[in-house]
Amino acid sequence: MLNIVLFGPPGCGKGTQSAILKDKYDLVHISTGDVFRGLDPESELAKLAKSYADKGNLVPDDITIKILQSEVKKYPNARGVIYDGFPRTSAQAEALDVFLKSKGGAVSCMLELEVEENELRTRLKGRAMDSGRPDDADPAVIQNRIDVYNTQTSPVAGFYKTQGKYKSINGIGSIKEVSERLFQNLEEVIA
Ligand code: AMP
């Protein structure tokens, strides 16, 4: 089974590109952010997740890892999975390795979409009008999400670099240009 980690800062295009890769390669797309937003809003778990997300902070690892695992288990016959927004900490990356190993699998590759910070801020501000997400609307929250990415999430790339599974992709350009770059990089993984 293919296990593709699509990585990069908030606003880099992970969601958009995941949807394209999902259709092209017949994969399941799992976005932990979407899973949190899709929980019953009255549930304690949803309220807890929202209390972190609205400030731009990460939901604690133990909760996020459990949510991710139960989501993956919903698709036992999938050809593969695109992980969008997970793992976001070293503990999550290690837990994903252990979890996939227990199923006889492994991460196939990590693709990082590289976009510089000013462009991220512009994109997230634009997205706020359509997404209705409180964490897209407030410049202070946007900045916190970028800072959290730089301090807690960015080091996760090193975990996959050490395993020889990391590829950096230029995330600037049209949606089509970026997806073409992803296809090129995925060719050898998927062949
Ligand atoms: P996203 O839709 O990926 O931007 O995620 C929105 C919010 O959900 C994040 O700011 C976090 O609060 C939470 N979240 C999503 N994925 C994770 C994760 N892997 N670890 C911790 N928190 C997460």
Side-chain angles (χ1 to χ4, degrees), residues 131-188:
S131 73
R133 284 174 51 172
D135 59 341
D136 282 347
D138 180 340
V141 174
I142 288 178
Q143 190 56 50
N144 188 41
R145 287 161 70 200
I146 293 173
D147 293 344
V148 165
Y149 179 82
N150 289 334
T151 53
Q152 297 181 55
T153 302
S154 179
V156 176
F159 184 84
Y160 295 99
K161 280 180 191 162
T162 314
Q163 296 184 5
K165 292 179 176 172
Y166 172 87
K167 290 169 194 282
S168 162
I169 314 286
N170 176 3
I172 301 284
S174 69
I175 291 173
K176 192 163 182 294
E177 281 165 344
V178 176
S179 53
E180 289 295 338
R181 289 177 202 137
L182 289 168
F183 299 161
Q184 277 168 16
N185 278 275
L186 278 172
E187 237 156 60
E188 62 194 71

Side-chain angles (χ1 to χ4, degrees), residues 9-50:
C12 72
K14 295 189 296 294
T16 304
Q17 295 298 336
S18 292
I20 294 170
L21 296 179
K22 167 191 148 101
D23 288 346
K24 183 169 169 82
Y25 298 112
D26 186 24
L27 304 170
V28 169
H29 170 204
I30 296 180
S31 149
T32 37
D34 284 349
V35 175
F36 285 132
R37 284 185 290 275
L39 293 170
D40 170 0
E42 295 307 318
S43 68
E44 288 309 311
L45 186 55
K47 287 180 193 159
L48 185 70
K50 193 168 158 47

Side-chain angles (χ1 to χ4, degrees), residues 32-33 36-37 53 57-59 64 85-86 88 92 133 145:
T32 37
F36 285 132
R37 284 185 290 275
N57 292 325
L58 295 182
V59 178
T64 307
F86 186 98
R88 255 160 146 123
Q92 291 180 18
R133 284 174 51 172
R145 287 161 70 200

